[in-house]
Amino acid sequence: MKTGRRLTSYALNYKKIILVALFLLTISVGTDLAGPFIAKNIIDQHILGIESVWNETTNGKSTAEYQGEFYKKEKNFSDNEEKGKEIRILQVGTKFVFMDEKLEFDGKRTFEQGILTVQKGDEKVNYNAKVLTNKELMAFYKLEIPGIIKLLIVYFGLLVISAIFQYGQKFLLQKSANRIIQKMREDVFGQIQRLPIQYFDNLPAGKVVARITNDTEAIRELYVTVLAQFFTSAIYITGIYAALFILDVKLAAICLLLLPILYGWIILYRKFASKYNRVIRSRNSDINATINESICGMSIIQAFRREKETETEFEKLNTEHFTYQNKLLSLNALTSHNLVGVLRNLVFVAFIWYFGGLSLNPASVISLGVLYAFVDYINRLFNPVQGIVNQLANLESALVAGERVFSLMDEQGEKVSTKRIERFCGNVTFDHVSFGYKEGEYVLNDINFEAKQGQTVALVGHTGSGKSSIMNLLFRFYDCQKGKIFIDGMDIINIPRQTVRNHMGIVLQDPYLFTGTIVSNVSLGDPSISREMVEKALKDVGVDRVFKNLENGYDEPVIEKGSTLSSGQRQLISFARALAFNPAILILDEATSSIDTETEAVIQEAMDVLKKGRTTFIIAHRLSTIRNADQILVLDRGKIVERGSHEELMLLKGKYYQMYELQKGNASLAG
């Protein structure tokens, strides 16, 4: 499905709000566009209405007195009312003159020595006329004041209605846009939870963050500003063209040429803007990734004096981002205002040419009110056109952002299962398992072993031998390419990943703590784990002996990654976290490798109690910590080369013996 359709499908989730907003927008536009028609009537019927045909009558309603006689506009006579002598009041320069003759035609007017001359082309007619004083003129004009006031009240009322409905439509459109983005962000974040671990192996965290925040914010701009502007402009343009066709069909038809020109320009603009925006958003993600990586590794950067090199790498990305931003800026500068200015001038040229031609035809009379309405509507026409052109950059940015967001959402993921099964007994079997992170490159080959309930199984070997990969498969962070893994006789491939992990606990070599407190980091917000359970888990791992002087006790604040705590303190919290969930299978992945000897002794004491009734897997470099393991698996290049208890392996005098003696010798030298 194309990006535009998918963005539309999101909007349709809130179609009721959007339709109400568009209805309010239509009313707002209709009331706003009625203004020029009212102004036309004020000019033609009232301000210039004094030049209408007047007839002599008796004193009464809507009559004006002049030199003892009463006059009324011809249009104000009823059907059965008798009309008297026809008179006209005409403006000549700054003067108004009274003539009691019928005007044969209108044209250029001159007045001299009581004679009014009207000339149209080669035709010329003279009339006897008198100049009206201000008082005499006001006798005729005061009849128009009630009508002008009435129309002005209507005009003001329409403006108020337009403003109210304009507020309503903007509020509803922005409300719907915020809801759309809220749902989209929830969907994207939910998709991240469904993605397998290997997806994040090749995608920096900063790039994922950019798609959830920056890209969705660009899409929000699409709904809040771009589409609102496009909807508003479309309705305004439709209303203005309807008004123009009512006023004059031919000129309105000429103005229709704007639409294909505007459409063609949009197509041409998007061709270049789309390319620039793709690069801009891609570099923006790269910048986020670089910043995230730099902050996380700042201690290493400063320790190895790599500040200048890191800054150079950042500047390279930032310069490329700046370059394409400038290209897009140049494209916008060359198009938006310039395009609209050219189109506006072309329309006014057509306007002048058209009305200039009409003025040469004696049979064609165009009122000043119609001219005013046309100029007003044409000026108004270019406001929505300007709005559309100005929003093209945001449109392209949003569409490119949409492509990036939807590409993430299209990644193959798995539904997060809430299914729960009874607690495992803890019997684990690896049946001839082979696995590789890349296709055809196996890091585990024919792994075959069994761990019974309550046993402790230790995995040892040099770096890269496959120890952690075995645990990744057991936790279903990855799935094996060959063989099967069973827990209590159940093939884990047939159990949802979340369900498999429900009765497992893990302590990593580098524990991750979240922003919160010690308590929240142990319970992870799980309502089934009470405060009492958290405190018991903390005490069981001997936290009291390490956290002696905490001001807030177990409610001590923990910032991101627990950077204010020592590695031993973080590890103890991570250990308590695993125990609080009461796992049937406990995995300790190099859990004591970065801990001081005193803290390690605390954990070792707790482990003797905690291992009872649990199947425990220990990945350890310190072989002295696994002497009591029920089974030790020695791995080398992805294969199990030795297996047995500590005593059995020492009698073999093989690889395990060599590793143990080497560590023992190093420990003696260190002592």
Side-chain angles (χ1 to χ4, degrees):
M1 189 186 296
K2 289 185 177 180
T3 302
R5 291 180 182 177
R6 296 181 70 168
L7 291 170
T8 302
S9 68
Y10 265 95
L12 291 177
N13 291 322
Y14 305 97
K15 56 181 177 291
K16 289 184 179 179
I17 298 177
I18 294 174
L19 288 175
V20 171
L22 293 180
F23 174 72
L24 297 180
L25 176 61
T26 303
I27 295 176
S28 172
V29 170
T31 52
D32 187 37
L33 292 181
F37 269 104
I38 294 175
K40 169 186 172 298
N41 284 329
I42 291 175
I43 293 171
D44 286 346
Q45 303 300 323
H46 297 289
I47 295 176
L48 298 181
I50 197 171
E51 292 195 355
S52 302
V53 176
W54 295 74
N55 291 92
E56 192 175 312
T57 185
T58 56
N59 188 15
K61 187 179 179 181
S62 302
T63 59
E65 183 180 3
Y66 175 69
Q67 294 185 351
E69 301 291 338
F70 296 93
Y71 302 94
K72 183 193 291 189
K73 278 188 179 180
E74 185 180 47
K75 66 178 184 179
N76 292 335
F77 279 86
S78 58
D79 294 337
N80 57 359
E81 190 176 359
E82 184 178 349
K83 299 177 183 178
K85 183 179 180 183
E86 177 180 322
I87 64 103
R88 296 295 295 271
I89 299 172
L90 300 176
Q91 183 177 6
V92 184
T94 58
K95 301 176 182 178
F96 283 86
V97 298
F98 179 94
M99 52 175 280
D100 56 3
E101 300 178 56
K102 185 176 181 180
L103 185 67
E104 296 184 21
F105 58 83
D106 201 359
K108 183 180 179 182
R109 304 170 186 174
T110 55
F111 180 78
E112 190 174 349
Q113 296 181 354
I115 301 296
L116 171 66
T117 303
V118 179
Q119 186 173 355
K120 182 88 169 177
D122 295 332
E123 296 183 79
K124 182 191 294 185
V125 180
N126 294 325
Y127 303 95
N128 292 319
K130 297 178 181 178
V131 176
L132 293 172
T133 65
N134 290 338
K135 184 178 180 181
E136 292 170 337
L137 181 63
M138 284 304 300
F140 290 92
Y141 254 127
K142 68 180 181 181
L143 301 177
E144 309 298 333
I145 293 176
I148 292 174
I149 292 174
K150 182 178 179 181
L151 287 175
L152 287 176
I153 291 172
V154 172
Y155 183 67
F156 179 76
L158 290 175
L159 289 179
V160 172
I161 293 171
S162 177
I164 293 172
F165 281 90
Q166 185 77 7
Y167 166 80
Q169 67 89 13
K170 283 187 176 180
F171 175 80
L172 291 177
L173 278 179
Q174 295 207 15
K175 181 180 179 181
S176 63
N178 288 333
R179 286 195 174 182
I180 291 168
I181 297 305
Q182 180 188 25
K183 176 172 174 50
M184 183 176 290
R185 281 181 174 158
E186 288 173 354
D187 290 348
V188 176
F189 194 78
Q191 169 70 355
I192 290 174
Q193 313 306 310
R194 293 188 291 270
L195 291 174
I197 294 296
Q198 60 259 38
Y199 177 80
F200 301 99
D201 290 343
N202 301 314
L203 190 66
K207 290 193 174 185
V208 179
V209 171
R211 296 193 186 190
I212 300 175
T213 55
N214 296 2
D215 288 342
T216 53
E217 190 61 27
I219 297 172
R220 179 184 176 276
E221 194 70 18
L222 169 71
Y223 292 112
V224 171
T225 306
V226 179
L227 293 185
Q229 180 65 60
F230 275 42
F231 284 144
T232 305
S233 297
I235 294 175
Y236 259 104
I237 289 172
T238 302
I240 289 171
Y241 271 113
L244 289 177
F245 271 103
I246 292 172
L247 290 172
D248 192 289
V249 175
K250 288 183 179 179
L251 187 58
I254 293 173
C255 292
L256 278 177
L257 293 174
L258 278 175
L259 300 182
I261 294 173
L262 184 61
Y263 178 76
W265 179 249
I266 291 174
I267 299 298
L268 183 63
Y269 174 87
R270 291 190 60 192
K271 180 180 178 181
F272 293 97
S274 179
K275 179 173 67 175
Y276 297 157
N277 271 300
R278 280 188 175 85
V279 177
I280 289 169
R281 302 217 71 80
S282 177
R283 291 300 162 269
N284 190 55
S285 289
D286 292 338
I287 288 171
N288 277 340
T290 301
I291 293 172
N292 183 70
E293 186 179 59
S294 298
I295 292 173
C296 292
M298 188 57 67
S299 58
I300 300 299
I301 291 172
Q302 293 185 0
F304 287 88
R305 303 178 304 282
R306 304 298 296 172
E307 295 93 341
K308 190 65 178 177
E309 288 76 9
T310 304
E311 185 178 351
T312 301
E313 291 174 7
F314 179 81
E315 284 180 358
K316 182 180 178 183
L317 292 173
N318 201 29
T319 298
E320 190 171 358
H321 182 270
F322 170 78
T323 300
Y324 277 88
Q325 282 279 26
N326 268 359
K327 287 184 178 181
L328 186 62
L329 182 64
S330 298
L331 180 64
N332 292 334
L334 286 170
T335 57
S336 56
H337 293 287
N338 291 341
L339 170 69
V340 175
V342 170
L343 293 178
R344 187 194 300 271
N345 291 335
L346 288 175
V347 169
F348 273 110
V349 167
F351 177 81
I352 294 169
W353 168 78
Y354 179 77
F355 280 107
L358 286 180
S359 66
L360 298 176
N361 184 3
S364 301
V365 178
I366 301 296
S367 72
L368 185 60
V370 172
L371 288 174
Y372 170 82
F374 253 106
V375 172
D376 195 342
Y377 279 127
I378 289 174
N379 275 324
R380 288 170 181 249
L381 178 62
F382 284 96
N383 290 330
V385 170
Q386 180 85 57
I388 290 174
V389 173
N390 286 346
Q391 290 302 325
L392 289 179
N394 288 333
L395 172 64
E396 278 309 307
S397 179
L399 291 177
V400 171
E403 287 180 12
R404 290 163 52 80
V405 169
F406 292 133
S407 69
L408 174 62
M409 295 179 69
D410 288 339
E411 291 290 335
Q412 188 66 36
E414 293 184 7
K415 186 177 180 181
V416 177
S417 175
T418 56
K419 180 181 177 182
R420 294 291 180 263
I421 60 176
E422 291 185 9
R423 192 173 185 271
F424 296 141
C425 293
N427 297 303
V428 177
T429 302
F430 273 62
D431 185 12
H432 301 286
V433 170
S434 296
F435 165 72
Y437 294 99
K438 295 181 180 179
E439 189 174 350
E441 298 180 14
Y442 291 113
V443 296
L444 294 176
N445 289 282
D446 197 31
I447 300 298
N448 197 50
F449 70 88
E450 185 177 356
K452 296 188 179 297
Q453 178 183 358
Q455 284 189 342
T456 297
V457 178
L459 304 175
V460 300
H462 296 297
T463 301
S465 60
K467 305 183 298 297
S468 294
S469 296
I470 290 176
M471 295 302 96
N472 285 338
L473 294 180
L474 182 59
F475 245 85
R476 282 205 70 193
F477 290 142
Y478 302 88
D479 289 323
C480 58
Q481 283 88 11
K482 294 180 182 179
K484 294 183 179 180
I485 302 172
F486 298 95
I487 298 179
D488 296 344
M490 298 179 291
D491 188 346
I492 65 172
I493 201 71
N494 298 322
I495 308 173
R497 297 179 193 272
Q498 293 75 29
T499 306
V500 168
R501 300 164 189 158
N502 192 42
H503 301 298
M504 288 182 172
I506 189 169
V507 179
L508 298 171
Q509 179 180 3
D510 185 17
Y512 193 96
L513 300 185
F514 299 90
T515 302
T517 63
I518 293 175
V519 171
S520 67
N521 267 282
V522 173
S523 67
L524 294 180
D526 191 325
S528 65
I529 299 177
S530 65
R531 171 115 184 169
E532 291 73 21
M533 295 169 64
V534 171
E535 292 182 357
K536 184 179 184 303
L538 287 165
K539 288 177 181 178
D540 286 343
V541 299
V543 164
D544 290 343
R545 281 183 272 173
V546 178
F547 290 95
K548 296 178 181 178
N549 303 311
L550 293 181
E551 183 180 346
N552 300 300
Y554 294 146
D555 293 313
E556 184 72 17
V558 176
I559 63 174
E560 185 183 7
K561 295 184 179 181
S563 58
T564 58
L565 302 175
S566 70
S567 59
Q569 291 172 327
R570 293 198 301 270
Q571 196 65 278
L572 282 173
I573 293 173
S574 178
F575 205 86
R577 174 195 295 165
L579 297 176
F581 282 82
N582 190 27
I585 299 171
L586 180 63
I587 299 170
L588 306 177
D589 187 356
E590 313 257 10
T592 60
S593 63
S594 60
I595 295 177
D596 59 87
T597 306
E598 182 181 351
T599 306
E600 182 182 342
V602 174
I603 291 180
Q604 287 294 339
E605 290 177 20
M607 282 175 60
D608 292 336
V609 178
L610 298 168
K611 287 189 295 185
K612 291 180 181 179
R614 292 187 176 88
T615 304
T616 305
F617 291 89
I618 301 176
I619 299 174
H621 282 304
R622 295 184 187 179
L623 302 186
S624 60
T625 63
I626 59 168
R627 292 185 60 173
N628 297 326
D630 298 295
Q631 184 180 182
I632 299 173
L633 304 178
V634 183
L635 287 97
D636 183 38
R637 298 180 183 180
K639 295 181 179 180
I640 298 176
V641 293
E642 294 177 10
R643 70 180 74 202
S645 65
H646 172 75
E647 290 76 14
E648 291 170 344
L649 293 175
M650 290 299 289
L651 289 174
L652 283 176
K653 293 188 182 294
K655 186 172 281 291
Y656 178 82
Y657 175 84
Q658 294 171 5
M659 294 169 61
Y660 187 84
E661 289 296 320
L662 180 63
Q663 286 192 11
K664 184 179 178 182
N666 289 338
S668 298
L669 289 172

